[in-house]
Amino acid sequence: WDRGLNGALSQAARAGRPAALIARRIEPGDAAALRRALDRITFRAAQAEATVIVADATTPMVTALFRWAQEGRAEALALAPLSAVLRSQ
């Protein structure tokens, strides 16, 4: 998680292991709240090489994610699993 000095991330880098900070956990909520959270993550992702979020793969979450992407809000992003971020290191 992106808090404090992120000691685990530093240790992984020293050991030559891939690691990523989890920027935020998106909690289940109504569709509008999910879209706002995804918009905030988009802003943060524009400032970093990779931004990792965690969300439960519930039907409302997946539906909101697909709708958000279809609205064109994900044009500047590549939605990918965590394993893709870790492999890119």
Side-chain angles (χ1 to χ4, degrees):
W1 298 97
D2 190 6
R3 294 187 186 122
L5 298 175
N6 300 315
L9 188 64
S10 298
Q11 288 179 355
R14 282 193 298 273
R17 302 280 188 224
L21 289 177
I22 299 172
R24 142 173 223 170
R25 175 175 174 72
I26 298 181
E27 298 293 336
D30 64 67
L34 292 172
R35 283 195 301 274
R36 282 192 306 276
L38 290 167
D39 286 341
R40 284 192 298 273
I41 293 298
T42 301
F43 177 76
R44 184 174 183 159
Q47 300 170 340
E49 183 177 325
T51 300
V52 176
I53 62 168
V54 173
D56 295 329
T58 62
T59 300
M61 180 65 72
V62 173
T63 301
L65 183 61
F66 281 129
R67 285 187 181 154
W68 175 81
Q70 287 175 341
E71 291 171 358
R73 294 180 164 168
E75 291 175 351
L77 300 177
L79 300 175
L82 176 59
S83 58
V85 173
L86 295 176
R87 286 185 190 142
S88 71
Q89 296 181 358

